[in-house]
Each structure stands twice: as C-alpha cells, then as structure tokens.
Amino acid sequence: MTCNSQVMSFSSVLLPQLRSSQDIDDETASWIASITGVSFFFGLMMTPYLMSNYGRRTMTLLSSVILTVTWFSILFTTDIIVILLVRFIQGFSLGFAAIVVPVLIGEYSSPKYRGTFLSTMSLAISLGVLCNHTIAAFYSWQTAAIICCVTALLNTIIVTLSPESPIYLASCGKYVDCRRSFDWLRYEEENEELDMIIRDMVESKESFVNLQHKIVYFFMIWRKKEFYKPMIIIFHLHIINEWSGATTFDAYTSDIFHRLVGQDINVSFMIISTDILRTVSSFCTVLLIRKFRRRLMLLITISSNILSYFIIIIYSYTKTQDYQIGLFLIHVHVLTFSVGNLTLPNILAGEIFAFKYRGISNMLAQMFFCLNYILSTKTALHMLENYNLHGTFLLYVTMVAYGLLVAWFILPETKDKTLQDITDEFHGISRQIEHGNVVNKLMPVNKNCNM
C-alpha cells in the first residue's frame, strides 16, 4: 500500500517541477495525474480471474515487480509521452493490489487483530505520501522515483518470503498446505475458524464451479443478501473515501493551498507538515480501531469531515486569505479525512465480503472506486478554475454526506467477529458449526489453481 500511495501521489511531485521546466497545460497535467485510473480499471477486471487461479501471493508479487520495473524506467526520460505510458502501466499494478491486499490481510489475520492490520493500510498510504512530498521539497522528482523503486523492490522481497493465503489453498483442495500456512499465521485455538471456512466451501463449491463462467451466475448472486448488501455498503464507503479530500490533496496539493492560504506561502513546509499530521493520525487510528466499534468510528470521523468541509466553504466564500486561519483549516481537514475516511473502507473491504464472492466483490468495489478516482482527479483543476474552492468543496461534501447516510443504515457491526460470522449476519442466519475436522470431506480440486 505504500508503493500504491507513491504512485498516486507522484503527480504532486512531478507536475510542479515539469511546469517549471516545460510548457505543461492543465489538460496535460490532469492526464498525468489521472491516467493511472484508466489502467487501474483494466487491472481490476483482470484480478479476480488471476487471483482465483494463481493465488493472492502471486498477484501481490506481480504488482510489486511491475512497480519496480516502471520506477526504474522513468528515471531515464523527461518525455511527456513516455511518462504517460509509464504511469499507465503502473495503473495495472494499482488495480491488482487494490483487490488482493485487503483480501490477503483479511485472510491472513486473526479476528482479534484484523481491524488493526487492515487499518495499517491507511498508515502505509500516509507514509508513502509523506516520503514523496518530503523528497520533492529538497530534491528532484528523479530522486523521488529512485526511492519509490527501492520501496517496490523491498516489497517484492517481503512478498517472496510470505506464505500463500490458507483460504486460497483450501479452495484448491490443498489441505495439507492450507493447514501449514494457517498454523504459521495463526494460533492453534483459532483452528475452528478454518474448519468453518472449509465447510462453507465444501457446501458451495459444486454450484460455484458449474456456474462461475456463465453470465447467469453474475445476475443470480445479486439476489443474495450476503452479496448485494456488502456491495451497497462498500460503494458508498468509496464515495466517502474518494470525495473526502485525500485524493485531491495528493494530486493537486499546491493548487489547493494557494487558493486557501494565498500565493505568498512556503508550500513545501505546509505539505510536509500536513503529511506528518496525516501519518500520525493514521497511526492513532491503528490504536483506536481496537477500542471502538466500526459504526461509531464511521459516524464520528465522517461527521467531523463534513463539518470541516462546511467551515472551509464559508471561509473560502468570504474570500478571506489569512495565513494562520488557512493553515489551521487545512490541518484540521487533513486530520478529519486521515482518521476515518481513508481507514474504514480498507478495513471493511477486508471484512464484509463473503469468501465465495470475494473476488468479484472486490473487483466491482474497486472498479467503482476507480471511476470516482478518475472523475475527481480529471475534473479537480477545471472545478477549481470555474467554481473556485468553495464551489468544488460544496460538491465534495454533498457526496460525503450522502455516502455516510446510506452506509450508516445498512452497515452491521463487524468488530471482533470472524469473517464467516459477518457473512452469516448479512445472510440473516446464525449458524452453529460442529467442531471437528472437515478436511477429509470430499471437495473437487480446482485444477486451474497454481502455486
């Protein structure tokens, strides 16, 4: 996730320096910022098939290798076409990781610690943004690209040394490897959860294999509560995530700061200070998520973001540009979207999707996120130019408020529940799974699975 955030925030490093050395208009700049979203979309569509047949670990490794190679390639060019091509290729890696990473973390981790691990995704994103912006304040964008390349290479090494998901291994009928991986990742007293997972797969495997390549299957699953309810929730959480301000701040940091505070400011200092605040806030969220329930966190943090938006809208509309007030408002807003808006969608994406629909659910969720990402990054400069900051943020806060309203009424509490318990709650049942080893039950092996 650090690697992904470095890709998404790199335009804020690259564009100011390109503008100072080349004649870059707003249209070209918006394409440099948003083109990753186009290939992001195609990467998402490819991921469920590849993840189901080659594994979560393999897809994560592929994503890391792509980033390592592309960051190395961009070091040797200043040509706009080549830069656009490199960022387009990087978008595929974003699409792969966007689905695989929350799935992998959710399947790796114990219910007791799953929320904490998933919340570290936002911390990793904040660290990546802080790294890029800090380097850009003192060095060239090529130096930032070198650091990004080293980060991707380190990630490649970590993934190489990590085990495959036990749930993927169970879906392939590789029970011995599944047990070995689960024992490496979890405590012995958690084996009951694995038995429940395998039993559920035994019951659903046959129908899934017969229908998975048919169009009718796609329409059939929309009738299932454990599929469509999580999809509605995650769609609206991604609306909150994308329009809360984080993406716009990452891509067009200087433009927003100048409009809110004024032209006579030290942009580099402000960027670094807000990134530090964002990182500290994300770290605090890792601690808070273990103490507070998901629904309470959602209500408090998103409401704070909405309030922050309205204060900035009023301040911008009065056309007041006081340095201290503007600086304070920016930091408050960054705090509000760092604590909950970026964290909760990542956590819940790893919790609420049923095992048998996880691939397609994550694909559809991330495709929706991708559309919002392209829309926000492609239109931000034009919105700021034509409607100023208060008009742009008025649209953003409307989207966030709508997302909160819908998600609040549908989302059940998921804290400290197993993934199977959450799926059962959406389905409207409370199943009691017998204790015992179900590994010896007959289950067709997916011959398409590869290690």
Side-chain angles (χ1 to χ4, degrees):
M1 296 311 295
T2 301
C3 294
N4 281 12
S5 69
Q6 288 175 329
V7 173
M8 299 179 75
S9 64
F10 192 70
S11 58
S12 65
V13 177
L14 179 65
L15 292 178
Q17 296 186 30
L18 284 181
R19 282 169 170 166
S20 64
S21 61
Q22 301 184 40
D23 185 18
I24 303 294
D25 57 23
D26 286 348
E27 183 67 21
T28 302
S30 67
W31 273 114
I32 291 175
S34 63
I35 196 170
T36 52
V38 179
S39 47
F40 190 133
F41 190 85
F42 292 112
L44 293 172
M45 292 191 292
M46 297 165 59
T47 303
Y49 172 80
L50 295 174
M51 184 173 69
S52 297
N53 288 278
Y54 297 97
R56 285 78 157 123
R57 176 175 170 272
T58 302
M59 289 303 300
T60 312
L61 184 61
L62 176 61
S63 175
S64 301
V65 170
I66 290 174
L67 289 183
T68 304
V69 174
T70 51
W71 283 125
F72 184 77
S73 302
I74 205 174
L75 294 172
F76 303 101
T77 185
T78 57
D79 184 81
I80 299 299
I81 301 300
V82 177
I83 291 174
L84 285 169
L85 177 62
V86 168
R87 286 187 56 76
F88 180 78
I89 295 172
Q90 289 179 331
F92 285 99
S93 178
L94 297 183
F96 297 156
I99 293 180
V100 174
V101 171
V103 170
L104 194 61
I105 294 175
E107 294 177 353
Y108 269 179
S109 53
S110 166
K112 183 178 180 181
Y113 303 111
R114 186 178 59 238
T116 303
F117 284 129
L118 287 167
S119 66
T120 61
M121 292 171 63
S122 63
L123 175 61
I125 291 171
S126 300
L127 287 172
V129 174
L130 173 62
C131 178
N132 270 355
H133 288 166
T134 303
I135 295 170
F138 304 102
Y139 303 101
S140 67
W141 63 265
Q142 288 91 344
T143 304
I146 292 174
I147 301 301
C148 294
C149 184
V150 172
T151 306
L153 180 61
L154 177 62
N155 191 56
T156 303
I157 296 172
I158 292 173
V159 176
T160 302
L161 299 175
S162 300
E164 180 56 86
S165 162
I167 293 178
Y168 167 74
L169 294 171
S171 71
C172 297
K174 300 176 180 178
Y175 301 121
V176 176
D177 292 334
C178 169
R179 284 288 180 188
R180 186 182 297 116
S181 176
F182 192 87
D183 291 342
W184 191 90
L185 291 164
R186 304 284 197 92
Y187 295 110
E188 183 176 351
E189 56 266 25
E190 297 182 56
N191 285 336
E192 181 185 353
E193 181 185 352
L194 181 62
D195 292 340
M196 293 169 62
I197 292 167
I198 295 176
R199 175 172 182 135
D200 188 67
M201 289 182 176
V202 169
E203 294 172 351
S204 62
K205 182 70 175 178
E206 183 177 354
S207 60
F208 178 74
V209 170
N210 290 335
L211 293 173
Q212 63 178 342
H213 297 301
K214 298 181 180 180
I215 297 178
V216 67
Y217 176 74
F218 176 79
F219 292 100
M220 184 188 70
I221 59 178
W222 281 98
R223 301 178 182 178
K224 298 182 178 294
K225 295 179 181 179
E226 65 269 33
F227 179 79
Y228 73 76
K229 284 187 176 180
M231 292 310 306
I232 294 173
I233 293 169
I234 209 67
F235 282 167
H236 288 84
L237 288 175
H238 279 316
I239 289 175
I240 295 172
N241 186 0
E242 193 56 45
W243 299 98
S244 63
T247 300
T248 311
F249 267 74
D250 289 345
Y252 305 110
T253 312
S254 300
D255 298 271
I256 293 175
F257 283 5
H258 283 309
R259 290 177 183 274
L260 190 59
V261 182
Q263 296 297 320
D264 189 21
I265 59 172
N266 186 335
V267 176
S268 298
F269 167 75
M270 291 186 63
I271 291 174
I272 293 173
S273 66
T274 54
D275 285 346
I276 292 174
L277 174 62
R278 183 171 171 175
T279 304
V280 173
S281 301
S282 298
F283 178 76
C284 292
T285 305
V286 174
L287 304 178
L288 291 173
I289 206 68
R290 294 191 61 187
K291 302 294 183 182
F292 297 98
R293 293 185 176 275
R294 308 289 191 257
R295 284 170 54 82
L296 179 62
M297 286 280 292
L298 180 73
L299 180 63
I300 294 176
T301 57
I302 308 308
S303 297
S304 300
N305 183 253
I306 292 172
L307 179 61
S308 172
Y309 258 133
F310 277 118
I311 294 174
I312 291 177
I313 290 169
I314 295 171
Y315 175 79
S316 175
Y317 185 75
T318 60
K319 302 186 184 302
T320 305
Q321 286 189 335
D322 181 272
Y323 179 81
Q324 292 182 339
I325 296 177
L327 187 65
F328 175 75
L329 291 178
I330 285 175
H331 282 75
V332 169
H333 191 65
V334 170
L335 175 65
T336 61
F337 70 62
S338 300
V339 173
N341 300 36
L342 300 181
T343 307
L344 288 171
N346 292 327
I347 293 174
L348 292 168
E351 291 183 333
I352 63 177
F353 294 139
F355 295 121
K356 54 189 174 183
Y357 308 129
R358 183 156 293 177
I360 190 170
S361 296
N362 274 285
M363 182 192 73
L364 293 173
Q366 290 299 328
M367 286 173 68
F368 185 79
F369 170 82
C370 179
L371 291 175
N372 281 272
Y373 171 73
I374 295 173
L375 186 61
S376 63
T377 54
K378 191 72 180 69
T379 61
L381 286 178
H382 301 288
M383 290 282 294
L384 290 170
E385 184 67 29
N386 294 302
Y387 302 104
N388 214 318
L389 190 64
H390 54 270
T392 304
F393 277 13
L394 182 61
L395 171 64
Y396 288 9
V397 73
T398 302
M399 299 292 288
V400 173
Y402 163 71
L404 174 61
L405 182 65
V406 176
W408 172 256
F409 284 105
I410 303 178
L411 177 68
E413 185 53 59
T414 62
K415 186 177 184 298
D416 295 335
K417 295 180 180 178
T418 68
L419 301 181
Q420 190 61 49
D421 288 340
I422 296 169
T423 298
D424 290 345
E425 186 169 349
F426 278 120
H427 193 65
I429 59 176
S430 179
R431 294 190 297 182
Q432 297 295 325
I433 306 299
E434 301 93 339
H435 294 278
N437 190 342
V438 297
V439 167
N440 294 324
K441 285 182 174 287
L442 295 177
M443 186 170 86
V445 177
N446 184 356
K447 296 181 179 179
N448 291 325
C449 291
N450 295 284
M451 290 297 292

